[in-house]
Amino acid sequence: MSTKGTHIPDWLAVPFAGITPAPSQEKGQDLFPTGNWRSTRPVYRDKMPPCNNACGTNEKIQGYLDLVKRGRYLDAYALIKEDMPFPSVTGRVCYHPCEQACNRGQYDEAISIRAVERFLGDFGQALPKDVVKAGPPNGRKVAVVGSGPAGHSAAYQLARLGYAVTILEKSPKAGGLNRGGIPDWVLPQRVLDREIERLLELGITIRTNTEVGKDVSWDDLKKNYDACVLAVGLTEPNSVRAEGENKDGVIYGLPFLRDIGMGTSNVKLGRNVTVIGGGNTAIDCAREALRQGAEDVTMITVERNPKEMPCVPEDLHDMMEEGVVLMHARAMTAVLGNGRVEALQLYPARFSGAVNASPILIDREAPAERFPTDNVIIAVGQHASLAWLPAEFKNERGTIRIDRFGRLGDTMFFAAGDIAQVASGQPLMVVNAVGDGKRVAFSLDRVLRKEPLQERMVPIDVITDLARMNMTYFPHFPRLKQETLLPTFRRHTQEEVIQGFSGNQAFEEANRCFSCGTCNACDNCYLVCPEPCIVRSVRSNGLYRILTDYCKGCRVCIEECPTGCLESVPEMDFDTGVVRMDTAFAITPGLHGRQAEELKNLADRPAKDIENWK
Amino acid sequence: MPAIKVERQMLPMFASPNQGARFYNPELPQTEPFVPGHRTCAGCGPSIQYRMTSKAAGDNTILVGPTGCMYVANSSYLCTPYNVPWAHTQIGSAGSFTAGVAAAYEAMIRKGKWKGPFPNIICEAGDGSASDIGLASISGALYRNHDCLIICYDNEQYANTGIQASSRTPYGGMTTFSPPGKMVPEAKSLYPKDLARMMAAGHPHCYVATASVGYPIDLMNKVRKGLNHKGAAYIMIYTPCQKGFVYETPRSIDLGRLVVECGLYPMWEWDPEKRKFDYSFRPQNMRPVSEYLKLQGRFGHLHAEHVATMQKFANMQWKMMGVELPDALVRAADVKNVRDMGAAQAAEAVALTV
């Protein structure tokens, strides 16, 4: 069908019988635009993966797993740093709500997201210079009270926004709960020190040994800074209101861990140690007690079985491996002994479920139990110490009075972290505090810039579930386990219990990710399109184009999309978020139409144009 | 006469994790010899196959299209969606035309009129052309061992003339030539011609393989193996036809997988060097045939005994491939354990009124 050597008049320059231009992928064959056969069209719309949604600080988990599986570790680290100032810390201590939400958990086993995060965190720690830079200075000063997870996160985000940030910390070392609440064998001090160094590199000033209410007053904060973030955390341990709780040998969980973390501990434990409480702090205390020289450690909880305990199941498992004994459905009512703990008085107990009354029902009819022990560690939660706070900002429950953006009334004071979240029903975990610090930092920024506050940080459209995805493309593949030290060895040492991933392991684990609801450029739609009207110009996320002039709406690509990112949209019934095709049923007329136009004008032309075309 | 040196294109294989399920194939060529703007039906299986085949072959390719869907629907009004040379030939002369193209290039190279590598010559015959009308000419081309690849895109019927039965139409498949009724309740009582094995047995010097659109990387690799093979090659590719099979258009690729997983389309390669069948391809799952049948309207009239018969047929195919049958499949071949297809009664009622 060559046109070589044939003279073509103007009015036949458009294709006619036997004379067609060469078709191309971008323009198609041009004579039959088949798009008007279509009643639905495929649309790429990235949805919220369940991991990103479950994360306390909405890390872009799917995003960095995708980068790791392409071997782009630096990009992955930069992505994680957008929401998380210290991935090396959360990679060790996080209770990983992302892994519980992971869709892969319903298929075979959840992705080991925390281990990949830790790998990236350690990768970032080894970099000579961090990827994050402080924003251009905007001349405003912000104080952050407390250098725990929330304070660290808020200071980090504010520095990135260009604020001059000062952190006020009452302890001799910065780190807050990260240092004082998390034992060394979970989070080594050198890791935390390096993360604090990174903060200093951002130009943040840290003033240690500075306590609000003692060294700095409320009015000082008001006067010297444009705004202030209060992230003081919950520092005072709860008591169990038992008789004789003031005897020698009774220790409270959080101060016990804090003193060891700060290096100021002078506690000597006996042979038998009992821990009261069933949460994460109690578990850490029990395991720390073993490492401080105790031989037999018993944990007494009100819960009836291990499943009901409000803790991370893995940590519970590791604790049992180390030889801690559990006693369920009991409450301590008295500490017995002559000036020093000799035994505990225990009664059967259960949770009443009551909201206003005491939540624990103790059965005093039953015979009391005498439980001999040398030390008792009480770890049943903690509360805030707010003596320095002006009374107008306290509420009836003794916590801080804030609005939903974390702001104290009309002041330039904001509260973040456990102190703000204690009454909200959120789990009081590191990652939730980090998320709160981030949100408060952005709210503070908006207030100072006099912009309206935003209700949510990340808009949620649809959280992708398995039903939206095509599981044919995912072979079953077991989860990679992190190596751990042997229980008999680790119970006497401060060495890190859980070992990190190597680069290869992180790559393989990330490779298991489904990329739920997000285009990860797998080329599936591109390869199965019958037209083929899906064009791949640049290979990267979501960069396919559908030639709507030709798409017949067969929906093969939608059915075969492994991640469920493609969806079908009725052609005449677009909702928001989708660009309406301006010519739904009157798409480009193609060459037939153009030729018809030419022929219509034929009569207006002088006759010689047609006849003397040589 | 001095030996003529023929430069040949050797195409590399694609990496195929998970037997064809694909993840990030950076080697996929950018070249696109088959472009949009053709008038095949939405979700057309042969069209998917055509695209994958031509993409695997690359730009230095000559396509031959005997009469069939891929000629009628694609080349109306004297223009085609092919970016490479393409020629139509009669339905019966698929093999002879292709052999002629190959012989012509051999001659041109011999006379020094064609510089450059020998082109990939691909004939895209439908199952009507390949199994019925053009069988003799294709067999001739294979016998003479011309350097070409002959593909039978097997949509199991004459589709462009409005769904008539071909010798590849499966047992029980309804077409306009094989309607279900009182006399023949299973619609088609004949079993399909085992075309690819016939070609392998009759022309053992050729590369012969079967493939399915459900496994694109496997398909493209087989096409490349066929093109790399010096001499004639023959590939039969399962391509669902939405109009003839009567299914929802999005299931095209899914059917391509199911037909293999149900054992109705054994995947194998004939190795001309060792003169042996290679049955090493294994789908992810094995399923009873009803899972494949229930998606398609053309099997809606089947009664339990027909489904059991098809299961027996599938089980024999599995055995041929040397696969140990799970108990569930053996049980499914017993009429007692099988149910009628959903529309069996309705189809019978309609057949009585006609």
Side-chain angles (χ1 to χ4, degrees):
Chain A
M1 282 183 253
S2 169
T3 55
K4 213 167 156 188
T6 315
H7 179 82
I8 303 169
D10 288 349
W11 60 278
L12 274 181
V14 288
F16 208 70
I19 307 164
T20 51
S24 70
Q25 161 82 33
E26 285 284 329
K27 285 189 69 195
Q29 189 226 29
D30 211 18
L31 202 52
F32 299 110
T34 47
N36 53 359
W37 300 13
R38 181 175 67 235
S39 59
T40 61
R41 70 155 62 178
V43 172
Y44 293 96
R45 197 153 61 110
D46 285 357
K47 300 167 197 69
M48 173 68 89
C51 47
N52 294 19
N53 181 52
C55 179
T57 178
N58 296 108
E59 278 180 20
K60 294 162 191 82
I61 295 169
Q62 179 276 332
Y64 69 72
L65 288 180
D66 196 44
L67 289 168
V68 169
K69 73 175 139 190
R70 286 154 206 272
R72 289 161 60 184
Y73 298 148
L74 191 65
D75 291 344
Y77 176 66
L79 187 63
I80 209 170
K81 285 285 267 189
E82 281 183 16
D83 307 290
M84 169 56 70
F86 41 64
S88 60
V89 174
T90 39
R92 289 172 166 86
V93 308
C94 191
Y95 75 117
H96 50 68
C98 49
E99 293 183 24
Q100 274 84 301
C102 179
N103 273 338
R104 185 119 205 172
Q106 298 166 39
Y107 186 62
D108 42 22
E109 289 171 282
I111 316 274
S112 196
I113 298 169
R114 187 175 75 172
V116 178
E117 179 175 358
R118 173 172 165 179
F119 167 77
L120 289 177
D122 290 350
F123 174 84
Q125 289 218 323
L127 294 175
K129 204 161 168 290
D130 206 356
V131 292
V132 179
K133 291 189 188 70
N138 57 13
R140 287 184 163 140
K141 291 198 294 182
V142 179
V144 175
V145 183
S147 64
H152 192 141
S153 168
Y156 167 80
Q157 300 291 1
L158 288 169
R160 287 179 64 202
L161 291 168
Y163 292 90
V165 182
T166 308
I167 294 180
L168 310 174
E169 168 63 46
K170 75 172 178 184
S171 310
K173 279 185 190 168
L177 181 113
N178 278 345
R179 193 181 300 279
I182 297 164
D184 239 24
W185 34 272
V186 177
L187 173 65
Q189 303 256 345
R190 58 176 166 78
V191 175
L192 187 59
D193 291 342
R194 182 82 171 126
E195 292 295 352
I196 306 264
E197 271 173 41
R198 295 294 199 202
L199 271 193
L200 296 174
E201 283 170 25
L202 281 178
I204 292 169
T205 319
I206 301 182
R207 283 167 61 193
T208 48
N209 292 318
T210 310
E211 190 173 347
V212 173
K214 212 164 82 190
D215 307 309
V216 181
S217 72
W218 180 264
D219 292 329
D220 289 343
L221 288 176
K222 220 174 187 174
K223 198 169 62 194
N224 296 341
Y225 299 100
D226 292 307
C228 177
V229 179
L230 307 169
V232 293
L234 308 177
T235 48
E236 305 307 309
N238 289 348
S239 84
V240 289
R241 282 172 294 201
E243 284 170 47
E245 223 179 297
N246 51 359
K247 285 187 177 134
D248 246 14
V250 179
I251 309 164
Y252 288 99
L254 205 59
F256 169 67
L257 293 177
R258 184 159 58 212
D259 290 346
I260 294 170
M262 296 290 174
T264 55
S265 173
N266 50 6
V267 173
K268 281 266 180 285
L269 292 180
R271 206 185 129 79
N272 291 314
V273 173
T274 309
V275 178
I276 309 288
N280 292 306
T281 310
I283 289 179
D284 283 347
C285 287
R287 299 175 71 184
E288 185 64 57
L290 286 174
R291 286 158 175 83
Q292 294 297 325
E295 286 296 319
D296 294 312
V297 177
T298 312
M299 183 181 248
I300 295 176
T301 72
V302 179
E303 290 86 3
R304 282 165 301 179
N305 53 49
K307 275 189 194 141
E308 289 178 2
M309 288 166 60
C311 64
V312 181
E314 290 160 17
D315 291 350
L316 181 65
H317 171 261
D318 285 354
M319 178 187 84
M320 305 294 282
E321 266 190 353
E322 287 170 15
V324 175
V325 181
L326 278 175
M327 276 175 84
H328 291 296
R330 285 179 185 78
M332 180 179 82
T333 53
V335 180
L336 309 174
N338 190 8
R340 194 188 151 76
V341 181
E342 283 166 19
L344 307 176
Q345 190 183 43
L346 303 180
Y347 276 107
R350 63 184 168 86
F351 280 111
S352 65
V355 180
N356 294 325
S358 165
I360 296 172
L361 265 186
I362 300 175
D363 183 9
R364 304 239 180 215
E365 308 285 297
E369 215 176 313
R370 191 175 188 280
F371 188 80
T373 187
D374 299 329
N375 282 97
V376 55
I377 303 176
I378 298 173
V380 291
Q382 47 270 338
H383 59 272
S385 136
L386 295 174
W388 46 271
L389 189 71
E392 72 230 63
F393 300 121
K394 284 186 200 164
N395 64 14
E396 62 281 1
R397 294 160 82 177
T399 55
I400 247 172
R401 187 198 297 274
I402 49 172
D403 64 9
R404 63 186 191 282
F405 302 108
R407 193 173 177 193
L408 278 72
D410 292 335
T411 61
M412 282 302 166
F413 283 85
F414 290 78
D418 286 0
I419 190 180
Q421 292 189 310
V422 67
S424 70
Q426 285 247 42
L428 301 180
M429 298 288 190
V430 171
V431 68
N432 299 80
V434 170
D436 202 40
K438 179 182 84 170
R439 281 185 285 274
V440 163
F442 289 146
S443 296
L444 186 154
D445 178 49
R446 281 179 167 268
V447 168
L448 284 187
R449 286 194 286 120
K450 300 196 167 45
E451 279 178 25
L453 286 162
Q454 240 180 342
E455 191 64 46
R456 279 200 68 87
M457 298 303 300
V458 185
I460 297 180
D461 186 357
V462 177
I463 299 169
T464 319
D465 53 14
L466 277 186
R468 286 177 178 270
M469 298 159 59
N470 191 335
M471 302 315 290
T472 323
Y473 294 102
F474 303 108
H476 286 274
F477 211 86
R479 172 185 166 116
L480 275 183
K481 299 263 182 309
Q482 281 172 289
E483 287 186 15
T484 51
L485 298 181
L486 283 178
T488 45
F489 171 70
R490 71 183 187 229
R491 60 179 279 180
H492 299 302
T493 147
Q494 291 284 338
E495 274 176 54
E496 213 175 336
V497 172
I498 302 176
Q499 309 296 306
F501 271 171
S502 69
N504 262 347
Q505 283 174 313
F507 168 82
E508 279 196 18
E509 193 56 25
N511 215 0
R512 295 176 64 228
C513 176
F514 287 163
S515 292
C516 306
T518 310
C519 179
N520 61 0
C522 72
D523 277 357
N524 223 355
C525 51
Y526 172 69
L527 202 49
V528 300
C529 178
E531 299 311 317
C533 61
I534 297 182
V535 187
R536 177 186 78 179
S537 28
V538 184
R539 174 183 281 275
S540 92
N541 278 4
L543 270 176
Y544 298 99
R545 197 156 67 84
I546 294 174
L547 303 175
T548 40
D549 283 359
Y550 296 104
C551 173
K552 292 167 188 161
C554 69
R555 291 169 292 153
V556 170
C557 51
I558 299 166
E559 176 82 13
E560 295 305 315
C561 179
T563 69
C565 134
L566 264 169
E567 56 189 73
S568 166
V569 177
E571 196 57 88
M572 291 302 280
D573 188 21
F574 291 131
D575 273 331
T576 48
V578 176
V579 182
R580 174 184 280 272
M581 187 166 77
D582 44 1
T583 52
F585 282 98
I587 61 164
T588 59
L591 287 182
H592 277 309
R594 265 177 269 155
Q595 186 179 15
E597 281 297 304
E598 288 281 326
L599 292 174
K600 236 194 301 182
N601 299 334
L602 207 62
D604 302 338
R605 293 195 187 180
K608 61 178 182 184
D609 277 359
I610 303 170
E611 279 157 14
N612 306 324
W613 50 267
K614 265 196 295 244
Chain B
M1 206 168 85
I4 309 293
K5 193 168 179 304
V6 179
E7 193 187 332
R8 291 174 55 81
Q9 313 180 54
M10 294 308 279
L11 301 163
M13 295 293 127
F14 297 106
S16 172
N18 184 30
Q19 292 187 329
R22 49 214 163 279
F23 296 99
Y24 325 114
N25 254 298
E27 323 82 296
L28 275 184
Q30 288 290 342
T31 164
E32 206 69 75
F34 185 69
V35 301
H38 48 82
R39 303 186 306 162
T40 58
C41 316
C44 174
S47 171
I48 298 175
Q49 171 276 130
Y50 216 125
R51 190 281 182 103
M52 290 173 183
T53 306
S54 53
K55 197 170 184 61
D59 281 333
N60 188 6
T61 300
I62 294 170
L63 294 167
V64 177
T67 310
C69 278
M70 289 295 101
Y71 152 64
V72 172
N74 292 357
S75 63
S76 321
Y77 200 51
L78 287 176
C79 51
T80 65
Y82 309 117
N83 258 344
V84 292
W86 174 91
H88 166 237
T89 177
Q90 289 302 314
I91 189 166
S93 59
S96 34
F97 192 104
T98 315
V101 175
Y105 269 93
E106 278 161 26
M108 287 207 292
I109 289 171
R110 193 171 65 239
K111 292 178 181 170
K113 289 185 177 172
W114 175 259
K115 306 276 187 273
F118 195 83
N120 297 319
I121 298 163
I122 303 178
C123 168
E124 292 267 5
D127 61 301
S129 169
S131 71
D132 298 341
I133 305 172
L135 181 61
S137 74
I138 288 177
S139 174
L142 293 180
Y143 159 69
R144 292 189 300 275
N145 206 16
H146 291 283
D147 199 350
C148 60
L149 168 65
I150 294 176
I151 285 174
C152 164
Y153 62 88
D154 180 15
N155 58 8
E156 308 193 330
Q157 67 223 337
Y158 291 86
N160 84 64
T161 46
I163 323 300
Q164 284 81 30
S166 82
S167 56
R168 277 297 299 164
T169 306
Y171 170 89
M174 178 175 67
T175 63
T176 53
F177 279 8
S178 60
K182 252 184 161 177
M183 302 298 288
V184 192
E186 70 267 48
K188 187 165 183 280
S189 53
L190 303 174
Y191 284 88
K193 187 184 278 181
D194 202 344
L195 190 60
R197 286 178 78 83
M198 187 171 143
M199 293 305 184
H203 317 89
H205 55 278
C206 299
Y207 173 84
V208 184
T210 58
S212 162
V213 290
Y215 300 91
I217 299 295
D218 175 74
L219 189 156
M220 290 163 83
N221 273 342
K222 280 173 176 164
V223 167
R224 288 193 159 184
K225 271 186 208 168
L227 292 170
N228 288 347
H229 174 70
K230 192 175 183 321
Y234 185 90
I235 301 178
M236 188 167 81
I237 302 175
Y238 174 84
T239 55
C241 168
Q242 190 267 331
K243 288 280 171 281
F245 293 11
V246 195
Y247 64 89
E248 293 270 326
T249 51
R251 308 306 287 266
S252 289
I253 299 286
D254 212 13
L255 277 179
R257 275 193 300 265
L258 276 175
V259 75
V260 177
E261 291 179 354
C262 293
L264 290 167
Y265 212 87
M267 297 271 266
W268 47 260
E269 285 175 273
W270 168 258
D271 187 340
E273 306 292 324
K274 297 185 197 147
R275 301 276 159 124
K276 258 169 73 178
F277 285 106
D278 176 2
Y279 293 120
S280 59
F281 185 95
R282 289 281 179 277
Q284 278 174 311
N285 302 304
M286 288 169 76
R287 299 173 194 271
V289 290
S290 51
E291 301 227 347
Y292 170 69
L293 303 182
K294 73 185 177 192
L295 290 180
Q296 300 172 46
R298 64 170 173 163
F299 292 119
H301 58 278
L302 291 188
H303 291 281
E305 62 260 37
H306 309 132
V307 179
T309 311
M310 279 199 101
Q311 184 64 55
K312 263 182 221 139
F313 175 69
N315 287 359
M316 279 191 281
Q317 306 257 46
W318 283 124
K319 273 187 205 150
M320 177 196 82
M321 293 174 73
V323 179
E324 206 168 313
L325 280 174
D327 285 344
L329 290 192
V330 178
R331 271 200 308 279
D334 190 344
V335 185
K336 290 200 293 289
N337 304 325
V338 186
R339 282 185 302 151
D340 290 353
M341 286 285 114
Q345 273 73 31
E348 199 167 273
V350 171
L352 284 175
T353 56
V354 171

